[in-house]
Amino acid sequence: MADIADRAAAEYAVYEEARAAARLAKPAPVHAEFCDYCGVTIPKARLDALAGYDCLTCIDCQVLLDRKGGGR
C-alpha cells in the first residue's frame, strides 16, 4: 500500500507533466512592426523590452488603452 509520500510524489509528477505541456502549447509572442491603432512604427527598444510578451501597440496608444481599462 502506498504511503502519503508516494501519493504526493505521484500527484506532483502529474502536475509537472501538465505544466510542461502547457508551456510547450503556449503560442509564441506576437510582435508587430506597426501599431494596430495608429499605424506608427513601434520602436525596436519597445519590442526588445517586451520580449516574451505580445507587442501590438506603440507606447502612446498603450497608455491610452490602459487609461480606458482596455490594456493588454
Side-chain angles (χ1 to χ4, degrees):
M1 185 163 140
D3 67 356
I4 195 164
D6 291 334
R7 291 193 330 230
E11 189 173 319
Y12 185 75
V14 170
Y15 165 76
E16 281 297 311
E17 287 176 22
R19 231 176 96 196
R23 188 171 43 247
L24 292 174
K26 186 185 246 186
V30 177
H31 284 78
E33 185 176 345
F34 301 100
C35 177
D36 275 359
Y37 292 92
C38 69
V40 170
T41 301
I42 299 173
K44 184 171 176 358
R46 176 164 169 72
L47 295 174
D48 291 344
L50 293 172
Y53 299 95
D54 292 344
C55 181
L56 301 172
T57 58
C58 67
I59 191 68
D60 294 330
C61 289
Q62 188 63 50
V63 168
L64 292 174
L65 285 170
D66 290 343
R67 286 184 184 161
K68 288 182 183 178
R72 297 177 196 192

